Amino acid sequence: MTSNFQRNFSQTQGQGQGVSLDKLSSFENLNMRISSANNVVDLLDIYEQNSIVFKNEHLVQCLRTISKLVKSSQATQNEAFQQDKRYHELIKKVSENLNEFNENELMDLLFWVRRFRTMRINIHFDEENVDKICAKTLEFAKAKAYSFRNLIHLFYNTSFLNRSTDEIVLEILKAMRNQEKNKENLLTPNMVTEILQSCARPDKFISNKEYILVEHIIKNINPVLNEASIESKALIFKYLASMELHLSPPKFKAPYILHVIKASLKDNIESLLENDVLN
């Protein structure tokens, strides 16, 4: 009798909670649905249906997912979602809660801002808020809250937003020097590519600290090249060559590593893709 009562009670509860289940009130389901949305409209539908249970984590995850979904070539679709009042409401909530985000959520926001800026999509987000995100991530970086990999992501995103990176570079250099003391090298081909791409932008003025960072990269690059694909080597060569280090003080000479990479590329020219050859 008790089991029948419990079964009937459970069924009644299930019916009563049908609406909340439809609205994905489950925290885990909500995260999964946001990250697996097929397009921005579907994502905004999820937000609209579940905004009452949205946490800061969900707000940030929505913007990060939108950043991955949009493409600069889809101008019509991009214009459509930017005019959607639900998108503006989402941005407004993020602005209101900006002081509450943790270090990882702030990194995701920075990723969103950088992606939209590089694709020339209006973020409808005040520059004051962008400055606040940059300042807060820098505070977390100084407090050693970020891994070495995330420090480089932070440098990359901040650089493309044309903000000062000198203090972030100092944190990266400290981490690299500690690695040298411990005879470690945590650099990967992707990390090196991110750093060099940031410094090699044609519209960028490279600071003295960034030059020092590039020198440290060159000093520790051999283990990286040993595990780098031919495509990664082509990118590293492209970015180093475009920086024209032979024209820059204090050494006024091309890094020897360019000749090493060039020789490696020549040996593997047949395996290079068309884009890598053009690089």
Side-chain angles (χ1 to χ4, degrees):
M1 184 173 179
T2 302
S3 59
N4 288 337
F5 172 78
Q6 290 174 335
R7 191 181 302 113
N8 292 336
F9 178 77
S10 298
Q11 290 172 352
T12 304
Q13 286 291 92
Q15 292 169 359
Q17 292 177 355
V19 175
S20 61
L21 287 175
D22 287 341
K23 288 191 172 183
L24 309 171
S25 59
S26 164
F27 193 86
E28 293 79 9
N29 285 343
L30 191 51
N31 279 334
M32 183 176 66
R33 286 294 299 273
I34 291 171
S35 61
S36 60
N38 293 319
N39 54 63
V40 179
V41 174
D42 286 349
L43 193 55
L44 293 177
D45 285 341
I46 294 172
Y47 168 71
E48 182 179 25
Q49 295 163 7
N50 300 275
S51 59
I52 193 170
V53 296
F54 255 51
K55 308 292 185 185
N56 284 341
E57 176 183 341
H58 302 127
L59 295 172
V60 172
Q61 191 179 6
C62 274
L63 291 179
R64 185 174 180 86
T65 304
I66 290 175
S67 302
K68 293 178 177 179
L69 289 172
V70 297
K71 294 179 173 61
S72 55
S73 59
Q74 299 174 337
T76 304
Q77 294 94 318
N78 294 343
E79 186 176 347
F81 86 75
Q82 288 181 77
Q83 294 175 356
D84 194 313
K85 66 178 182 180
R86 297 172 299 176
Y87 175 69
H88 288 272
E89 183 182 325
L90 178 63
I91 300 300
K92 183 180 178 183
K93 280 194 176 182
V94 169
S95 299
E96 291 171 350
N97 297 353
L98 207 52
N99 291 323
E100 302 173 9
F101 294 116
N102 63 34
E103 66 272 23
N104 294 321
E105 290 164 349
L106 288 167
M107 283 285 288
D108 284 342
L109 286 177
L110 202 60
F111 170 81
W112 160 65
V113 175
R114 191 265 304 166
R115 279 276 293 171
F116 270 39
R117 285 285 173 83
T118 53
M119 289 190 290
R120 301 185 184 279
I121 298 174
N122 193 340
I123 59 173
H124 302 281
F125 201 60
D126 292 343
E127 283 299 307
E128 183 180 341
N129 285 334
V130 177
D131 289 337
K132 188 178 289 187
I133 293 172
C134 291
K136 284 182 169 294
T137 51
L138 179 58
E139 288 175 11
F140 280 118
K142 290 180 177 179
K144 314 298 181 189
Y146 292 128
S147 66
F148 183 63
R149 180 183 298 276
N150 277 344
L151 279 176
I152 291 174
H153 290 333
L154 180 59
F155 170 74
Y156 181 81
N157 289 327
T158 305
S159 174
F160 272 85
L161 292 175
N162 294 319
R163 262 59 179 188
S164 173
T165 60
D166 277 359
E167 292 187 88
I168 302 170
V169 169
L170 281 177
E171 296 302 320
I172 295 174
L173 287 171
K174 288 177 188 176
M176 290 183 70
R177 284 166 182 155
N178 285 334
Q179 291 171 29
E180 290 172 8
K181 286 180 183 177
N182 298 325
K183 297 183 178 180
E184 297 175 334
N185 187 8
L186 299 181
L187 282 171
T188 66
N190 285 340
M191 291 180 190
V192 170
T193 301
E194 277 196 13
I195 291 173
L196 297 181
Q197 184 183 8
S198 302
C199 294
R201 286 165 41 225
D203 59 340
K204 178 178 175 60
F205 173 80
I206 306 177
S207 70
N208 289 334
K209 287 186 176 64
E210 287 170 332
Y211 275 122
I212 294 172
L213 176 60
V214 172
E215 283 192 15
H216 268 71
I217 293 292
I218 294 171
K219 178 182 175 183
N220 294 279
I221 205 169
N222 281 326
V224 176
L225 293 177
N226 289 337
E227 62 178 270
S229 66
I230 192 67
E231 294 81 13
S232 293
K233 288 179 181 177
L235 285 174
I236 291 171
F237 180 85
K238 171 188 174 181
Y239 296 137
L240 274 175
S242 65
M243 289 172 66
E244 298 183 325
L245 295 175
H246 61 290
L247 301 177
S248 306
K251 296 188 176 180
F252 295 100
K253 64 178 181 181
Y256 173 73
I257 201 67
L258 278 175
H259 301 290
V260 174
I261 301 174
K262 184 178 179 180
S264 175
L265 292 176
K266 280 185 176 180
D267 291 340
N268 295 276
I269 191 70
E270 292 183 359
S271 64
L272 282 171
L273 300 175
E274 181 181 354
N275 284 342
D276 302 317
V277 174
L278 292 176
N279 284 338

